[in-house]
Amino acid sequence: MTSQRDPAEDPDFDLGSARVCAIVNMGSGREAGDDIADKLRTALHGRVAALEVRGTGQGDDLPAMARAAVAEGFDLIVAAGGDGTQAAVAGAVAGTEAAMAVIPGGTFNYFARDLGSGETVEAALGIFDAPRIRRVHVGEMNGMIFLNNVSFGAYPEILRRRESIYRRWGRSRLAAYWSAVAALWTLRRPLRLTARANGEERHFTTALAFVAKSAYQLDTFGLEGADCVRRGQLALLLARAKRPGPLVRSALRLALGKTARYADFDLICADEFELETVPRHEYVAHDGEKTWMDSPFRIRVRHGALKVLVPAESGGRDAG
């Protein structure tokens, strides 16, 4: 698999002279935030010029904490948590001189897996043994950075159901998949969407639309569009299903790796999109989080905008 990074990779990262701020989402995933913070302190003790570990149990605090760390001049911001945590930190770090390190602490950890930096906390700590900087592309929607995808229609409702199921049954991938089925069965209305890209305007009625930045995630679900991402573009996928029954069947095909790709989704690849939705005030999912936002949604790629720490031996996957 070809990595979609800039041709030039930055030199080895001088960890010994770096001021490091580690931001830990205490509420992410299945591993306790306190344990992750302790592992970070142990891994970095005596290896960096300065280290601060800052934890929060409130996801809303993460963007402000990351912006503060950048403003205070930290050289490296370590983001420990799930994909939402990584995106919140990336939003503050992208386009600055600071670099970011990814410690997976969520349920799916697509960005960490996409980078090839490790799927567990212990594996990811290996980035500090022989670190290098890789510049990767990020997505941006109306000024908000995303790393994996933004989605409209059914998926934000899936996330809402997921939280209630997590509270009752605990965090697991099985619980996440069950929340998807439960949400899809109760879907009440399709989404009307106008997409402008590549000089064309197209109109869709769909139960689910999403813009993907992660080739790894698309490959995982057997969806088209990964090649677009590897070329440095974004992939807009629109489910042809408009009602619960067909959408659930499509979701089951995804889960079983038997997606009828072109039959299930329309695909548009582009560097930039403008999407208008009806209703205008739309519940939007972004990297596992959800927010009410107003259309039109202007979405683009910011090429090489984020500096990420990776192990020297890592070839990466498709995060760039």
Side-chain angles (χ1 to χ4, degrees):
M1 191 178 298
T2 304
S3 177
Q4 237 304 311
R5 53 180 158 167
D6 274 10
E9 191 170 77
D10 286 355
D12 295 348
F13 184 76
D14 185 5
L15 192 66
S17 64
R19 296 181 63 241
V20 180
C21 179
I23 297 175
V24 182
N25 187 343
M26 299 297 184
S28 285
R30 289 164 286 179
E31 184 165 353
D34 288 336
D35 291 340
I36 295 175
D38 287 342
K39 289 175 182 177
L40 280 166
R41 290 188 186 95
T42 300
L44 292 172
H45 179 72
R47 301 173 71 179
V48 299
L51 173 64
E52 287 193 27
V53 178
R54 302 173 181 178
T56 178
Q58 301 295 323
D60 292 345
D61 295 341
L62 289 165
M65 291 179 69
R67 287 193 299 269
V70 171
E72 291 168 33
F74 284 96
D75 304 295
L76 178 67
I77 317 297
V78 180
D83 287 312
T85 301
Q86 314 300 345
V89 173
V93 174
T96 74
E97 291 303 311
M100 173 179 169
V102 174
I103 303 297
T107 303
F108 290 99
N109 305 306
Y110 284 119
F111 186 55
R113 293 156 72 187
D114 209 343
L115 284 172
S117 60
E119 298 184 29
T120 65
V121 173
E122 289 75 15
L125 290 173
I127 61 177
F128 301 121
D129 293 336
R132 292 182 69 85
I133 291 291
R134 180 181 303 152
R135 293 181 178 270
V136 302
H137 310 328
V138 296
E140 180 184 88
M141 182 174 74
N142 292 4
M144 179 191 71
I145 295 296
F146 65 94
L147 302 174
N148 298 316
N149 66 70
V150 292
S151 57
F152 313 85
Y155 193 63
E157 176 62 19
I158 289 171
L159 293 183
R160 189 185 68 80
R161 290 295 185 99
R162 180 186 297 178
E163 290 308 312
S164 64
I165 289 174
Y166 279 173
R167 284 193 294 271
R168 183 172 183 181
W169 301 106
R171 290 178 176 267
S172 70
R173 294 186 185 181
L174 179 61
Y177 293 138
W178 172 246
S179 68
V181 173
L184 295 178
W185 271 121
T186 58
L187 183 69
R188 286 181 169 79
R189 60 172 177 81
L191 176 74
R192 285 182 288 161
L193 182 146
T194 299
R196 300 182 185 94
N198 304 319
E200 297 182 6
E201 178 176 294
R202 297 175 65 182
H203 302 274
F204 300 89
T205 300
T206 179
L208 170 66
F210 63 96
V211 178
K213 162 59 193 65
S214 169
Y216 178 87
Q217 192 176 44
L218 292 173
D219 282 334
T220 297
F221 286 101
L223 290 169
E224 299 295 331
D227 288 342
C228 303
V229 175
R230 294 188 189 104
R231 292 195 301 267
Q233 293 183 303
L234 297 169
L236 169 63
L237 291 103
L238 303 109
R240 293 186 174 178
K242 302 175 184 179
R243 298 296 177 188
L247 191 59
V248 168
R249 287 193 291 273
S250 177
L252 289 174
R253 283 196 293 271
L254 277 175
L256 296 172
K258 298 179 179 179
T259 309
R261 299 181 173 193
Y262 293 113
D264 284 348
F265 291 90
D266 288 301
L267 168 67
I268 303 174
C269 297
D271 294 316
E272 298 183 5
F273 293 96
E274 182 177 87
L275 307 181
E276 287 193 36
T277 60
V278 176
R280 179 172 177 268
H281 194 54
E282 187 66 30
Y283 206 31
V284 179
H286 48 96
D287 290 337
E289 305 298 322
K290 49 198 182 299
T291 309
W292 285 101
M293 301 179 73
D294 291 331
S295 106
F297 301 100
R298 295 179 176 87
I299 308 170
R300 65 177 180 132
V301 182
R302 288 180 58 184
H303 295 277
L306 182 65
K307 297 196 295 184
V308 183
L309 207 65
V310 294
E313 69 276 8
S314 171
R317 298 189 65 124
D318 306 294

